[in-house]
Amino acid sequence: MTLKFYLARRFLFAILGVCLLCTILIFMIDFIEMLRQSGKYGSVPASTLVYMTLLRLPAYTEVLLSFGVLVGALATLLSLSRKSELPVMRSGGMSVWQFLTPGLMVAFTLGVLSTTVYNPLAARAREQSEKVYAAAFGKDANFLQTKSAGSWLRQDGDDGQSILSAVAVSEKGLKLRGVTAFVFDKAGHFTERVDAREARLMDGHWSMTDAQVARVGRKPEAFRTYLLSTYLTPERATDALGDVIAVSFWEIPDLVELAEKAALSSNKLRVQYQLLLARPMLCLAMVLLAATVSLRSFRSGGIQTMVVAGMVGGLGFFLMSEVARQIGVAGLAAPWAAIWMPVIGAILASVTVLLHQEDG
């Protein structure tokens, strides 16, 4: 047990060290981006920029856990091998599975905590960062603006379907700015166009402020407040215009149900849910992948080649996983298959290599 605790501590410290280094780098890069935004949209106090960067940081860093596990496990095993600790363990009768078990348990535990605890906290921090960003940079700044013509939403409601366009989105899609809505009746016929300064999602409707309504054959009318029906709810369907990175793991199942009720595609939500579910197994796969390229003795040489091969293999796996994820988001494959198949494939391939190295 003493040896297992020692190995687990080595794996844990190495993984957390890599994650901390990545976090510092991400903070510096994102803070530079905040400085650029401050110069573009107006002067903002440095303390506010630091606060916004810290709020955005958890959502960015949680996706790097698997990379941190890969590099941390690789560094741990190479360090143990360089100090001849691994050869001593193996000469004492320990198999590769015995001294990898503490690392696998640490990686799996970190994956579970990342999904169930860290992800909801990161989502809450990301939501708060959107509010601070909107307050700091004003209505002309757009935190979630796409590279095209802003954000679009096709929705359904008691009065019929409508298509919304928003220049700026904040509060996880609950608040829109620069809104244009094309409204259709239940028969699918166009009825009116609504242009509003901003809109907020309430219970069963969008509350639009300073709206101009143009109907067929009538002069445009101005309304201080204009209501547009929708099946979206502010409590659950925030992902319609928001970002899945700002949605908690525990909220996704209800979001999927209500997004489908509102005639929205739920592929992105389903893929994100499967991605979070698979994170513990993904961390296991990273430890196994690191073991396949780091168990050779330093005296036999070729360590640099194997380390490079391990890093290239890890980057290749991440690239393949991202391609599979995009396929799932596009609806070309089932969300569970798009996420789980690369993970299962990596585990099986790594176990096969380790069995060959161990038993020949």
Side-chain angles (χ1 to χ4, degrees):
M1 291 301 297
T2 301
L3 180 59
K4 290 182 178 179
F5 279 120
Y6 170 74
L7 292 173
R9 186 170 66 250
R10 292 288 297 271
F11 275 103
L12 179 62
F13 288 168
I15 293 171
L16 294 181
V18 173
C19 291
L20 178 60
L21 178 60
C22 293
T23 299
I24 294 174
L25 292 175
I26 292 175
F27 175 84
M28 295 173 63
I29 295 172
D30 199 36
F31 184 68
I32 292 174
E33 174 63 18
M34 288 292 98
L35 290 174
R36 189 186 68 83
Q37 293 288 334
S38 177
K40 181 177 180 181
Y41 293 112
S43 178
V44 178
S47 59
T48 303
L49 296 178
V50 171
Y51 180 55
M52 281 190 293
T53 306
L54 290 174
L55 288 175
R56 288 154 58 100
L57 198 58
Y60 291 141
T61 55
E62 71 164 323
V63 299
L64 293 176
L65 176 62
S66 56
F67 177 77
V69 171
L70 173 64
V71 178
L74 192 62
T76 300
L77 293 173
L78 287 176
S79 176
L80 292 172
S81 181
R82 183 176 61 85
K83 295 180 180 179
S84 299
E85 293 177 273
L86 278 187
V88 170
M89 295 177 196
R90 304 193 69 153
S91 64
M94 291 187 68
S95 68
V96 63
W97 312 111
Q98 289 176 304
F99 61 74
L100 279 183
T101 298
L104 294 173
M105 294 179 62
V106 167
F108 186 82
T109 302
L110 289 176
V112 172
L113 292 176
S114 173
T115 296
T116 58
V117 179
Y118 191 76
N119 173 262
L121 294 176
R124 181 66 62 85
R126 177 65 177 250
E127 178 183 359
Q128 181 64 26
S129 73
E130 294 176 7
K131 296 179 181 179
V132 176
Y133 188 99
F137 292 108
K139 63 181 182 179
D140 294 330
N142 184 6
F143 184 54
L144 294 176
Q145 187 173 7
T146 62
K147 294 182 180 179
S148 55
S151 301
W152 289 83
L153 168 68
R154 180 180 179 272
Q155 64 167 22
D156 202 355
D158 290 335
D159 299 329
Q161 294 187 352
S162 56
I163 300 174
L164 274 71
S165 170
V167 174
V169 183
S170 61
E171 300 182 21
K172 292 200 302 184
L174 297 182
K175 187 176 182 180
L176 312 179
R177 287 175 176 167
V179 184
T180 299
F182 300 93
V183 185
F184 302 84
D185 60 21
K186 293 186 176 180
H189 301 125
F190 174 77
T191 57
E192 62 189 22
R193 167 175 171 165
V194 184
D195 295 277
R197 180 173 57 86
E198 65 179 34
R200 178 173 288 276
L201 182 59
M202 310 299 287
D203 189 8
H205 65 272
W206 289 97
S207 178
M208 299 184 170
T209 305
D210 296 337
Q212 294 283 336
V213 181
R215 299 184 176 92
V216 178
R218 298 172 58 179
K219 293 182 178 180
E221 300 178 71
F223 295 87
R224 179 73 181 111
T225 302
Y226 189 83
L227 305 183
L228 179 64
S229 66
T230 179
Y231 288 137
L232 296 174
T233 61
E235 293 83 6
R236 295 300 180 189
T238 56
D239 189 60
L241 279 164
D243 195 345
V244 293
I245 200 174
V247 180
S248 169
F249 168 77
W250 303 107
E251 296 176 337
I252 294 180
D254 292 332
L255 281 175
V256 170
E257 179 181 353
L258 291 178
E260 292 179 345
K261 180 181 178 181
L264 299 171
S265 174
S266 62
N267 286 337
K268 187 167 61 172
L269 284 167
R270 291 180 181 274
V271 168
Q272 178 70 5
Y273 188 63
Q274 294 298 327
L275 186 66
L276 293 172
L277 281 179
R279 184 169 291 169
M281 296 302 296
L282 176 60
C283 292
L284 286 181
M286 293 300 99
V287 174
L288 293 172
L289 178 60
T292 61
V293 297
S294 57
L295 298 182
R296 178 182 294 181
S297 173
F298 269 69
R299 294 182 179 180
S300 61
I303 297 298
Q304 294 83 355
T305 302
M306 296 195 68
V307 171
V308 172
M311 295 302 298
V312 171
L315 292 176
F317 169 77
F318 292 136
L319 178 60
M320 180 181 66
S321 298
E322 178 61 21
V323 171
R325 188 183 72 84
Q326 293 297 335
I327 290 175
V329 171
L332 301 178
W336 68 267
I339 298 302
W340 283 93
M341 293 305 291
V343 175
I344 294 174
I347 292 176
L348 293 178
S350 299
V351 169
T352 301
V353 172
L354 289 174
L355 288 173
H356 177 73
Q357 292 177 351
E358 184 75 1
D359 301 323

